[in-house]
Amino acid sequence: GVGTYAWSGPNLYSSTAQSPLIPSATASMSGTYTLTVTNESGCTSTATTSVTVNPVVVIPSPQANTQIIFGASVMLTATGCSGVNDALKWFQAADNTSVTMPVSPTVTTNYYAKCQTTLNGITCISAKSTDVIVTVLTPTPPVATGATSCLGTSVTLTATGCSGSVGTFVLKWYQNADNALVTMPVTSLVSTDYYAKCEQTFNEVTAVSEKSNVVTLTVLNPIAPVASEATIYTGNAITLTATGCTGTGFTLQWYQSADNVLVTMPVSPTVTTQYYAKCAQTVNSVTCLSAKSNEVTLTVINRIFVDIAKIAAPIQNGNSWATAYGNLQTALAAATANVEFWVAKGTYKPTTTTTRTIYFEIPTSVKVYGGFAGTENALSERNFNLNISILSGDIGTPNLSTDNSYHVVVLSGSSHTTLVDGFTITAGNGNFDPKMNSYPAISSPSPAQSGASIEMGGGILVSNAGNPIIAHCNIIANTAIFGGGVFCVDGSTPTINESTITNNESTFGSAIYAQNASHFSMNNALIVANRGVGSIYNNSSNPRLTNCTIASNGGYQGGIFNSQSQPTVKNSIIWGNAAPFSDTQSLITYSIVQGGYPGTGNLAMDPQMVNPAAFGPAPNTTGDYRLKAISLAIDRGDNGTISLTDKDLDGNLRRFAGGRVDMGAYEFQGIGTSTLIISVVTGPWEANSTWNLGRMPQLGDYVIIDNNHVVTLNTTGVAKNLKYRGTGTLKFNSATSKLEIGF
């Protein structure tokens, strides 16, 4: 306010403003500026000032964009800010906040730089650089999905959540048990757990996610089932069965073996057919099949019905009870292998003529069942004890034996699948002389003789190495010179089960005659009231008898007669025959033998049968050979020769209540009341250690003093029955000692 102003300076600068503003300063404007002030009187005054303009700060040039793995740090760099007075400053682009190197962003972030220069006491900062992008690679754990496959099948597991727009993403799989890297598809032999990881790669940097959830590759490996054989009758249907394919998700599938065609149960083939099964397991809509089971045969049996009541019916084709054959011989003529004959009650004769050489010949591999009422559709429905099917040789004058058939039934060369079951076989006469009233101890034909004749096997003749089964039969009142009931020859080995052979008569072998290595088997059979030289005559044959009762048989050696033979007898009773058993060739164990017999478990005490008939000059069928409760035959057989399904002659399971099998043909249905006690060492009667039961005898016990044992009686002993074996001795120690027996 004192006058006018005049400024001058570098680059011819001038200004008349009192306080001039110089915009856009440059370094060339540095220098001394002079101010001259002139007042109204023309007086002047001069002053100077020095101005320094620092150079423009250079904008730094940052590095290229970069990438890091989540959790890592990075040191960003830039060029152009490296002077002595320079300082590089970094800022986060999103909010311009200053950051310090290194940085560790958790998400992709933009940064920029500025250069700060301090010169001549003045600090200047450049404009911001271009942005640097720090890409953070952080793949998320994928979400895996399990799978189900069949054994041996390859499968590719899947997972979601391994994708994105930055870089490339790769899903990798690992076995959970050992963290081993696996390559898809996988083929596992067992169910296995897996997990996945996601790998993200960008500009040669790879990040790996955390592991996914653990998933299971369930491998289905159903086990091959075990199939069962079956049998049906023509026209019926059946559902085959197999084990080993049960539980949720398991189903059984059946195939016909011939063409591997899947079949649906039940099946109703018209011929015998083979099948096999597979087990199908379904889990998570995946179904896998097992290997095939064992191949099984469904045997289709043709039934032929026979009913004497239909003898005059207009239609007799044997296809049903309504159209049954009335004549058994006519029916047998239509037989083929694997055919069953169902024969209704009534009496059937081999011929309507008087030709004695005609008999019922049972074809091999054929089963003939008797005992039907004539309405049954299942074999289990028949009752052969109520519905009596009789095969009779009484073809001539009724009740006159001299014109009867020589044999009633013949089984020649029969296989073991041949069966005669549920019949009464009677009135065969193999030329026996009924006037014969004595049975001397004479020999039968020599073992060299073979073949059959009309004199052999009045009831049944088994020849030509036949091996049939005879079951539930009553072979009664037949006669012959050899084998009144049954004759076996030519190495024939029939099996006779749960049958009775009674009231037969012959010169040799009134019940059975076995010749020429005819080693028959007999189980749970009753052989009583027969008359001849041996009810069983073995001529160079070694049969096996198990749980048989041989009693009340008359004639010479009415029980068993052996000629160059060694039968095996187990769990049996031989008692009350014409003479005590005196054979020395047999192998007998766990049996009651009248007169005694060496062998394990044998006894020589009365078996106490309910009402055995006494043998007489003629056969006598009266009698009851079941056991009384006091019988020592109860629970004294050998279980080693008995199966759990064996039945006695009454059809009861052997081994009552699962205990020890009885001796004889009948299993006592209760608990026996008698006890057998045997001395085991020399000692006092009163000492428990003297006896096998660990106690002294009690009232009602059967007592045996065994070989080489001296039992000393000091006071009073009691016993129901007392027996000495060998050199067993009872010594009374004093005058007051006594033994009470017979209770």
Side-chain angles (χ1 to χ4, degrees):
V2 295
T4 62
Y5 301 84
W7 289 89
S8 63
N11 300 322
L12 303 177
Y13 176 79
S14 65
S15 175
T16 59
Q18 180 182 355
S19 301
L21 174 66
I22 303 176
S24 303
T26 64
S28 62
M29 296 178 182
S30 298
T32 300
Y33 288 79
T34 301
L35 172 62
T36 301
V37 181
T38 303
N39 63 11
E40 293 177 352
S41 301
C43 294
T44 63
S45 178
T46 300
T48 62
T49 184
S50 178
V51 174
T52 300
V53 179
N54 291 340
V56 176
V57 180
V58 176
I59 299 173
S61 298
Q63 67 183 67
N65 294 335
T66 190
Q67 49 282 324
I68 61 171
I69 298 172
F70 179 83
S73 300
V74 62
M75 179 73 73
L76 299 178
T77 63
T79 59
C81 186
S82 57
V84 175
N85 299 313
D86 296 337
L88 189 65
K89 302 290 187 178
W90 287 94
F91 302 87
Q92 191 167 286
D95 56 7
N96 300 307
T97 55
S98 176
V99 294
T100 302
M101 291 297 116
V103 289
S104 299
T106 58
V107 297
T108 297
T109 304
N110 288 20
Y111 297 91
Y112 63 83
K114 290 184 177 182
C115 187
Q116 179 178 292
T117 300
T118 301
L119 186 63
N120 301 317
I122 297 175
T123 298
C124 298
I125 192 163
S126 71
K128 67 182 187 177
S129 69
T130 57
D131 283 356
V132 175
I133 302 174
V134 178
T135 302
V136 178
L137 305 183
T138 176
T140 58
V143 178
T145 302
T148 302
S149 70
C150 302
L151 180 69
T153 301
S154 297
V155 64
T156 298
L157 297 173
T158 61
T160 59
C162 187
S163 61
S165 59
V166 177
T168 58
F169 291 81
V170 177
L171 191 67
K172 291 192 175 180
W173 288 92
Y174 301 84
Q175 193 165 285
N176 191 58
D178 56 7
N179 301 306
L181 181 66
V182 294
T183 302
M184 293 292 134
V186 289
T187 303
S188 182
L189 299 179
V190 295
S191 295
T192 306
D193 290 338
Y194 297 91
Y195 63 84
K197 289 184 177 182
C198 184
E199 290 190 0
Q200 181 184 10
T201 301
F202 183 61
N203 290 340
E204 300 181 355
V205 175
T206 299
V208 181
S209 72
E210 294 295 318
K211 61 192 274 187
S212 71
N213 53 307
V214 176
V215 295
T216 300
L217 172 56
T218 301
V219 177
L220 304 185
N221 182 24
I223 303 301
V226 178
S228 300
E229 304 274 354
T231 301
I232 62 169
Y233 295 107
T234 303
N236 288 355
I238 189 173
T239 296
L240 295 172
T241 61
T243 59
C245 186
T246 56
T248 303
F250 290 90
T251 56
L252 198 62
Q253 295 184 358
W254 287 94
Y255 300 82
Q256 192 165 285
S257 298
D259 52 11
N260 300 307
V261 170
L262 182 68
V263 295
T264 303
M265 293 292 132
V267 289
S268 182
T270 57
V271 295
T272 296
T273 306
Q274 282 73 43
Y275 297 90
Y276 63 85
K278 290 185 177 182
C279 186
Q281 182 183 13
T282 301
V283 176
N284 299 327
S285 300
V286 175
T287 299
C288 301
L289 291 176
S290 71
K292 59 192 262 186
S293 72
N294 53 306
E295 197 168 81
V296 295
T297 299
L298 174 55
T299 303
V300 179
I301 298 176
N302 182 29
R303 281 180 297 183
I304 297 178
F305 297 88
V306 182
D307 188 350
I308 190 69
K310 303 294 193 302
I311 193 67
I315 300 176
Q316 297 183 39
N317 55 26
N319 292 337
S320 67
W321 286 120
T323 60
Y325 286 110
N327 187 299
L328 178 57
Q329 283 287 35
T330 303
L332 289 173
T336 58
N338 298 320
V339 170
E340 287 186 5
F341 289 87
W342 287 18
V343 182
K345 61 186 177 181
T347 300
Y348 299 83
K349 298 181 180 182
T351 180
T352 58
T353 72
T354 57
T355 304
R356 299 180 65 192
T357 55
I358 300 176
Y359 43 77
F360 291 112
E361 182 165 6
I362 310 302
T364 189
S365 300
V366 165
K367 294 179 173 62
V368 185
Y369 291 98
F372 293 91
T375 58
E376 298 86 346
N377 191 47
L379 190 61
S380 60
E381 296 174 359
R382 73 169 176 155
N383 186 337
F384 48 76
N385 293 315
L386 178 64
N387 303 306
I388 309 301
S389 298
I390 301 172
L391 305 182
S392 173
D394 192 6
I395 60 175
T397 302
N399 301 318
L400 178 64
S401 64
T402 55
D403 60 358
N404 289 5
S405 298
Y406 294 122
H407 324 288
V408 179
V409 174
V410 172
L411 295 150
S412 179
S414 304
S415 70
H416 199 58
T417 58
T418 308
L419 173 68
V420 178
D421 188 319
F423 289 94
T424 293
I425 300 171
T426 187
N429 179 16
N431 272 359
F432 177 71
D433 183 359
K435 296 179 181 179
M436 188 177 235
N437 56 9
S438 65
Y439 298 90
I442 59 176
S443 298
S444 65
S446 68
Q449 179 176 331
S450 63
S453 73
I454 59 175
E455 299 173 338
M456 302 172 178
I460 299 176
L461 172 62
V462 187
S463 62
N464 295 322
N467 186 25
I469 298 174
I470 300 166
H472 309 113
C473 286
N474 183 16
I475 304 167
I476 182 171
N478 300 281
T479 59
I481 294 178
F482 303 99
V486 180
F487 186 88
C488 306
V489 69
D490 304 326
S492 295
T493 56
T495 299
I496 303 172
N497 295 330
E498 299 167 45
S499 295
T500 62
I501 306 178
T502 64
N503 201 29
N504 300 283
E505 194 167 7
S506 70
T507 306
F508 304 101
S510 55
I512 303 176
Y513 190 108
Q515 181 170 300
N516 300 116
S518 294
H519 311 311
F520 68 88
S521 295
M522 182 178 294
N523 308 288
N524 303 293
L526 182 66
I527 302 173
V528 299
N530 302 285
R531 189 164 183 260
V533 178
S535 61
I536 299 176
Y537 197 120
N538 300 310
N539 191 352
S540 296
S541 298
N542 305 323
R544 297 180 62 87
L545 283 68
T546 305
N547 280 105
C548 293
T549 298
I550 303 171
S552 304
N553 295 290
Y556 180 80
Q557 292 293 339
I560 299 176
F561 187 91
N562 292 319
S563 174
Q564 301 180 46
S565 302
Q566 191 175 61
T568 299
V569 181
K570 290 187 176 182
N571 301 349
S572 296
I573 296 173
I574 304 174
W575 195 271
N577 298 292
F581 189 72
S582 60
D583 169 68
T584 59
Q585 301 177 45
S586 302
L587 299 175
I588 302 178
T589 55
Y590 298 98
S591 297
I592 289 180
V593 181
Q594 189 169 8
Y597 201 88
T600 303
N602 291 335
L603 299 175
M605 296 180 177
D606 187 341
Q608 296 293 333
M609 295 177 285
V610 172
N611 183 29
F615 66 89
N620 184 353
T621 58
T622 62
D624 187 343
Y625 295 86
R626 296 169 180 84
L627 302 176
K628 297 178 182 178
I630 61 172
S631 174
L632 284 177
I634 297 172
D635 294 337
R636 284 191 174 81
D638 178 16
N639 284 351
T641 59
I642 301 299
S643 75
L644 293 176
T645 58
D646 278 0
K647 294 183 179 180
D648 73 352
L649 197 53
D650 279 336
N652 299 311
L653 286 174
R654 305 245 50 153
R655 300 179 60 183
F656 175 77
R660 187 170 172 179
V661 66
D662 297 347
M663 300 172 180
Y666 296 97
E667 188 79 7
F668 183 72
Q669 299 301 293
I671 306 300
T673 58
S674 293
T675 302
L676 183 67
I677 184 168
I678 304 171
S679 66
V680 291
V681 295
T682 293
W685 181 285
E686 301 81 13
N688 292 336
S689 59
T690 301
W691 308 100
N692 66 321
L693 298 184
R695 65 165 175 81
M696 64 179 289
Q698 299 174 358
L699 186 67
D701 286 346
Y702 286 78
V703 178
I704 293 178
I705 302 177
D706 212 347
N707 296 354
N708 303 316
H709 297 156
V710 177
V711 177
T712 301
L713 189 59
N714 298 307
T715 55
T716 299
V718 293
K720 183 171 185 176
N721 184 292
L722 181 66
K723 178 181 178 180
Y724 300 92
R725 283 182 178 168
T727 57
T729 303
L730 177 64
K731 177 182 178 182
F732 291 85
N733 194 43
S734 68
T736 59
S737 301
K738 62 181 179 179
L739 178 66
E740 297 179 356
I741 60 174
F743 293 94

